[in-house]
Amino acid sequence: MFQFLKASSQGRGSWLLMALTALLLETTALYFQHVMQLQPCVMCIYERVALFGILGAALLGVIAPKTPLRWLAILVWVYSAWQGLRLAWDHTMMQLHPSPFNICEFFVQFPSWLPLNDWLPSVFQAYGDCSIRQWEFLTLDMPQWLIGIFAVYLLIGVLVLVSQVFRGQK
């Protein structure tokens, strides 16, 4: 299995597949926001940024899958998936256990050198409340689905990272 994962990480196909899945999820989020008129909250925007991190890692892997740049792509992938999982978990806890002490920020806080909400407000501006459940599918709301999605990205990313130390068959 590890040899298969290492070989897959050295080809463009698996990186393109990961980029496609992340792009599909981002497109779905924008559909929910702009077509279904659901208001993204601050946590939604941060989860969206984590997904963009995975997309960026996939594109980095597509560029040079057989070079050491692949290691950077895998590390960005694992880090983004971990942060996304952590954010989705916190968001879910805010929705399942509402409390005046467990709330999200009112405005997104990006670094001054990367004000995404100023550059592209239609994608990175938050208008909603984190504790409100706006959408549900099969009894799970959006952050609960994201827990599963980020957990799968993280699991596969860690397995691919571990596979990098295995030698290929000769």
Side-chain angles (χ1 to χ4, degrees), residues 69-170:
L69 202 57
R70 177 181 80 250
W71 281 91
L72 178 61
I74 294 169
L75 291 175
V76 170
W77 170 10
V78 169
Y79 176 76
S80 296
W82 169 253
Q83 290 302 318
L85 180 59
R86 186 184 60 77
L87 289 163
W89 179 264
D90 290 346
H91 192 180
T92 297
M93 291 303 108
M94 283 180 203
Q95 289 186 345
L96 294 179
H97 309 290
S99 160
F101 306 107
N102 190 17
I103 59 172
C104 64
E105 303 162 349
F106 292 111
F107 304 104
V108 290
Q109 302 289 323
F110 290 115
S112 60
W113 53 270
L114 190 68
L116 295 174
N117 56 323
D118 293 336
W119 293 346
L120 200 56
S122 63
V123 176
F124 296 107
Q125 195 61 266
Y127 304 105
D129 182 352
C130 293
S131 63
I132 295 176
R133 299 172 76 167
Q134 300 183 60
W135 177 86
E136 191 176 285
F137 180 67
L138 298 176
T139 72
L140 298 175
D141 60 0
M142 210 169 300
Q144 291 172 325
W145 279 103
L146 285 174
I147 287 173
I149 290 166
F150 282 121
V152 168
Y153 274 127
L154 182 62
L155 176 65
I156 295 170
V158 168
L159 289 174
V160 169
L161 180 63
V162 169
S163 77
Q164 300 306 300
V165 298
F166 286 86
R167 292 185 186 261
Q169 291 181 355
K170 296 191 182 204

Side-chain angles (χ1 to χ4, degrees), residues 11-112:
R12 286 191 169 87
S14 56
W15 291 105
L16 284 170
L17 179 62
M18 185 168 82
L20 179 66
T21 61
L23 187 61
L24 231 80
L25 290 167
E26 290 291 358
T27 304
T28 302
L30 292 173
Y31 174 82
F32 285 149
Q33 179 180 348
H34 295 290
V35 177
M36 293 179 63
Q37 300 296 312
L38 301 181
Q39 299 297 316
C41 67
V42 170
M43 294 298 281
C44 296
I45 298 300
Y46 292 156
E47 291 157 0
R48 189 177 290 181
V49 170
L51 201 50
F52 271 118
I54 292 171
L55 177 60
L59 295 177
L60 191 62
V62 166
I63 292 171
K66 293 186 188 274
T67 69
L69 202 57
R70 177 181 80 250
W71 281 91
L72 178 61
I74 294 169
L75 291 175
V76 170
W77 170 10
V78 169
Y79 176 76
S80 296
W82 169 253
Q83 290 302 318
L85 180 59
R86 186 184 60 77
L87 289 163
W89 179 264
D90 290 346
H91 192 180
T92 297
M93 291 303 108
M94 283 180 203
Q95 289 186 345
L96 294 179
H97 309 290
S99 160
F101 306 107
N102 190 17
I103 59 172
C104 64
E105 303 162 349
F106 292 111
F107 304 104
V108 290
Q109 302 289 323
F110 290 115
S112 60

